[in-house]
Amino acid sequence: MTDTSATPPQTPDSAGPWAIPVRRPLPGDDRPRGGTSFPRKVWNLLVAIKDGLALLFLLLFFVGLFALLSGRPNASLPVSKGALVVELDGVLSEQPAEVDPFAAVSGGDRMKEYRTRDVVRAIETAAKDDRVSAVVLDLDRFVGGGQVSLAEVGAAVDKVRAAKKPVLAFATAYTTDSYQLAAHASEIWTDSIGGVAVAGPGGSRLYYKGLMDRLGITANIYRVGTFKSAVEPYLRSDQSPEAKEANLAYASVLWDTWLAEVKKARPQAKLDAVLATPAAVVKAANNDLSKASLDAGLVDKIGGRLAFGERVAEIAGAPDDSQPWVYNAIPLKNWVAANPPEAKGDAIAVVPVVGTIVDGKARPGSAGGDTIAEHILDAASDDGVKAIVLRVDSPGGSVLASEQIRQALLVAKAKKLPIVVSMANVAASGGYWVSTPADRIFAEPETITGSIGVFGILPSFDKTLAKIGVTTDGIRTTPLSGQPDILGGVNEEFNQLAQAGVEDVYARFTGLVAKSRKQPVEKIEAIAEGRVWAGGTARQIGLVDQFGGLPDALAAAAKLAKVDGAFHAKYFEEEPSEWSKMLATWTGAEQDETALAPRGWFGIAAINRTLAERRLVQDMQMLTSSGSVQAACLDCRAYLPPVPAGSAEAKGLIGMLTFLLK
């Protein structure tokens, strides 16, 4: 046994070069030894988590950045000559909403949106460019767009045909919107299990009076206007005669305009016979809708995608003889990137007001009062801007936000900048309020406008609570103490005050319109009261000055500004953030958007169900979330691009209502 008692204690220096230094306790340090303390272990764990997360986010950033850069539209074209493929897997929109990548990851539904002006520019440039031998309208998953937007794209297609270039359209099944575009093509194809079924404007909407009575919900409505039907779903179980009269009047104008456009584009089609007795026409074709469509001249060819591809390849060429159905294709996004808008001459600012007008700031797809006002003021402060064109495609919304936008336009007018309004599909209620400062208002015959009326809506749930045995009680020091009391009930004093406020706003609205249109208030009151008008009628009664699209409005603005020479549009609008683009690309949200796009009749039925759910959500949000007096036209939503955003919310809401009704 070795005797260690004489062995001197080793120091770090004497223990050899590989010895681990030992931390010696300081004098007075009597903390227990034998390992790292618990707080230090926790601290080390937190540091490790922090370092790990930092590395993870850094990795995600570079991966996302790479995906963003690689996913951007490429200005280079895949072929030197071929067919421009306008594949519309979704809807046309004046201003596509920003993609929410997190909603896409969590299962939120979005339909892909295509900016109307990009599609129009792409088709118009294709008409003059020798690299494009034909244009393909792939409408197989096209859901629709506003009638004005569709007419603009159709007019661009006419320019291609005028340049003696073929335009070929394909869809399994054509609806009212898709056929409006296809009618402009030189050759229309449909699948043998498809065909053309045009429904026209109209249909049912939801009314909640019976449900609200069952649940005990009281809708406290404050409105002005015989035709202000936006609140009828909360007051009635059916449509009022006044609302039905007004809706039928402007829908009939839109339908007549649709018929005129389609018949002019495709005079050989026996459209009237098909529309009058569609079931009989199909039965005569042995229940084959595609054959009935062919016999009526609505389509030119029946065939699937492979046959259609071979036909296009005959015109545009094929890269591989072993696959004759694959043709030389130029994707829309590449062509748009390769043909940016020209920026010659002076700048005319274009400020889009798209979607519901809301208070505060808003991303693309909604018109935030703060956001739009800032864009207008930025344009007014830009020394290079000679005039401002307000491009309106909105059913209205918050009165406060609408007035904020109007005030910004007045600032621009004070700086001697001409203001011109260009109305797109819808410019109603708040959409007309923001148009009142204009020196000139342009609209199309298909534009929905007017709806000069206001309302406020506030639900109360005292009867709902009483159904489950809950009551309220308290004290008051004034008639308005605790008002509006959504749990205990709204009293008559508040009702009178709220109605007075709405009537005051209505008087301001009609006064603004009378002043801007240089008409007596009495004449404006006769055409106001919330009534909606089609663009053709609106021009006759003086609500708009002349027919024309955005190019006409730009030309008028340049003339008012005394611009001598060339000019170009300079857009002042919200753009999706680079961070949003990066996340959307990295998560695959942009690619997954087309999952909702329909094909065939059952696909169309499915998307209509989704849109109905979305309308239900919007109606419930109007009942519970409108925080100010509204100048809004809810019926006008039917004439805007049908974007089924938030249908996941609708499913949740439908589930809740189903539970309550059990």
Side-chain angles (χ1 to χ4, degrees):
M1 185 172 180
T2 306
D3 184 7
T4 60
S5 60
T7 305
Q10 294 203 348
T11 65
D13 292 334
S14 62
W18 306 109
I20 299 176
V22 178
R23 178 181 180 272
R24 299 189 183 280
L26 297 173
D29 186 359
D30 56 355
R31 291 177 297 176
R33 299 294 149 194
T36 306
S37 66
F38 177 74
R40 180 169 292 277
K41 289 181 180 179
V42 173
W43 175 255
N44 291 339
L45 177 62
L46 293 176
V47 170
I49 293 174
K50 181 263 296 181
D51 292 341
L53 289 175
L55 289 174
L56 177 62
F57 278 110
L58 190 63
L59 177 62
L60 290 176
F61 173 79
F62 283 110
V63 170
L65 183 61
F66 172 77
L68 174 64
L69 295 175
S70 61
R72 285 179 173 175
N74 194 339
S76 63
L77 303 179
V79 294
S80 58
K81 188 172 184 178
L84 172 64
V85 182
V86 182
E87 184 177 12
L88 301 178
D89 291 345
V91 298
L92 287 172
S93 174
E94 279 291 313
Q95 186 184 64
E98 185 172 4
V99 175
D100 184 353
F102 297 106
V105 170
S106 62
D109 296 333
R110 277 212 58 82
M111 186 72 66
K112 192 168 185 180
E113 299 175 76
Y114 297 84
R115 197 187 302 271
T116 303
R117 69 174 186 261
D118 290 343
V119 176
V120 170
R121 186 178 78 251
I123 296 174
E124 288 181 342
T125 54
K128 301 177 289 185
D129 199 306
D130 292 337
R131 293 173 294 177
V132 177
S133 52
V135 171
V136 170
L137 298 178
D138 190 336
L139 306 173
D140 206 17
R141 296 182 183 271
F142 182 56
V143 177
Q147 198 165 325
V148 170
S149 298
L150 296 170
E152 290 176 354
V153 176
V157 172
D158 290 341
K159 293 180 180 180
V160 177
R161 294 191 61 181
K164 307 302 181 184
K165 293 183 179 182
V167 180
L168 298 92
F170 177 85
T172 301
Y174 291 97
T175 61
T176 307
D177 283 2
S178 58
Y179 195 73
Q180 183 178 347
L181 289 184
H184 293 267
S186 53
E187 205 168 298
I188 303 177
W189 284 64
T190 189
D191 196 276
S192 60
I193 60 172
V196 181
V198 175
S204 61
R205 68 167 301 177
L206 299 170
Y207 289 81
Y208 307 103
K209 183 64 166 63
L211 173 62
M212 293 172 65
D213 288 345
R214 186 170 178 180
L215 298 177
I217 301 173
T218 302
N220 301 285
I221 304 293
Y222 316 98
R223 62 170 174 167
V224 183
T226 305
F227 299 95
K228 200 62 188 172
S229 60
V231 294
E232 283 193 356
Y234 315 113
L235 293 175
R236 300 174 57 97
S237 57
D238 61 355
Q239 193 175 52
S240 69
E242 294 84 4
K244 187 167 292 188
E245 173 193 348
N247 293 348
L248 184 60
Y250 69 75
S252 297
V253 173
L254 296 184
W255 181 233
D256 290 342
T257 306
W258 188 95
L259 288 172
E261 178 183 338
V262 171
K263 288 180 179 180
K264 180 180 179 181
R266 196 168 181 83
Q268 71 270 33
K270 302 172 185 176
L271 193 58
D272 290 335
V274 174
L275 293 173
T277 56
V281 170
V282 174
K283 188 175 182 180
N286 198 26
N287 296 329
D288 188 338
L289 180 58
S290 62
K291 185 178 183 303
S293 301
L294 181 65
D295 294 341
L298 298 178
V299 301
D300 299 296
K301 299 285 185 180
I302 297 175
R305 277 199 169 275
L306 295 180
F308 178 75
E310 290 184 19
R311 170 62 181 143
V312 178
E314 292 176 4
I315 303 170
D320 187 353
D321 292 339
S322 65
Q323 295 180 315
W325 56 86
V326 178
Y327 54 88
N328 293 323
I330 303 173
L332 176 64
K333 64 178 183 180
N334 294 67
W335 187 255
V336 169
N339 293 274
E342 294 183 350
K344 297 179 180 178
D346 292 316
I348 306 296
V350 179
V351 182
V353 180
V354 178
T356 303
I357 300 175
V358 298
D359 296 314
K361 293 183 178 293
R363 298 301 302 163
S366 291
D370 289 352
T371 304
I372 304 300
E374 287 175 6
H375 290 318
I376 293 170
L377 295 176
D378 287 343
S381 301
D382 190 328
D383 293 336
V385 169
K386 303 303 180 183
I388 295 177
V389 172
L390 201 70
R391 178 67 166 176
V392 183
D393 196 24
S394 170
S398 166
V399 167
L400 294 175
S402 300
E403 176 61 12
Q404 185 177 7
I405 295 171
R406 189 185 77 89
Q407 290 292 336
L409 289 171
L410 293 180
V411 171
K413 290 195 75 170
K415 293 188 174 185
K416 308 302 182 183
L417 284 174
I419 307 294
V420 175
V421 164
S422 172
M423 294 180 172
N425 302 291
V426 173
S429 285
Y432 196 88
W433 186 299
V434 302
S435 303
T436 54
D439 298 301
R440 199 148 192 83
I441 297 178
F442 284 79
E444 297 286 10
E446 308 95 324
T447 300
I448 298 298
T449 188
S451 189
I452 301 168
V454 297
F455 66 89
I457 182 168
L458 184 69
S460 57
F461 302 93
D462 48 311
K463 296 178 182 178
T464 307
L465 295 176
K467 288 177 177 288
I468 58 174
V470 178
T471 57
T472 62
D473 198 1
I475 63 167
R476 285 190 293 176
T477 55
T478 74
L480 293 178
S481 292
Q483 293 294 320
D485 188 348
I486 64 171
L487 299 180
V490 180
N491 66 19
E492 185 59 28
E493 196 77 18
F494 178 83
N495 282 336
Q496 292 180 17
L497 188 65
Q499 181 63 32
V502 168
E503 290 177 4
D504 176 64
V505 173
Y506 179 71
R508 292 171 184 265
F509 197 173
T510 53
L512 288 174
V513 176
K515 183 178 180 180
S516 68
R517 306 314 300 165
K518 298 179 175 59
Q519 298 286 348
V521 173
E522 295 76 18
K523 181 177 180 180
I524 298 302
E525 288 176 343
I527 61 175
E529 293 197 333
R531 181 158 185 170
V532 180
W533 305 95
T537 311
R539 184 184 179 189
Q540 294 174 11
I541 61 179
L543 289 179
V544 302
D545 293 302
Q546 65 188 87
F547 293 145
L550 183 58
D552 302 296
L554 288 166
K559 184 176 181 181
L560 289 171
K562 296 181 172 56
V563 171
D564 185 16
F567 60 88
H568 67 277
K570 181 177 180 180
Y571 281 83
F572 289 76
E573 62 182 336
E574 291 293 289
E575 292 290 346
S577 64
E578 292 299 316
W579 174 245
S580 171
K581 293 177 184 178
M582 181 186 72
L583 286 178
T585 305
W586 181 73
T587 59
E590 292 180 337
Q591 289 76 18
D592 292 342
E593 284 175 325
T594 59
L596 280 182
R599 288 187 67 229
W601 297 116
F602 284 97
I604 293 170
I607 202 65
N608 286 337
R609 181 198 65 201
T610 303
L611 294 174
E613 294 175 354
R614 176 58 181 162
R615 284 191 291 271
L616 174 59
V617 172
Q618 290 176 326
D619 288 344
M620 292 299 101
Q621 287 176 336
M622 175 60 68
L623 177 65
T624 60
S625 304
S626 59
S628 60
V629 177
Q630 298 286 302
C633 176
L634 300 189
D635 288 335
C636 299
R637 295 177 306 180
Y639 301 93
L640 287 169
V643 183
S647 60
E649 294 176 303
K651 294 172 185 176
L653 183 58
I654 289 174
M656 179 187 72
L657 293 174
T658 303
F659 173 77
L660 291 172
L661 290 171
K662 286 182 179 178

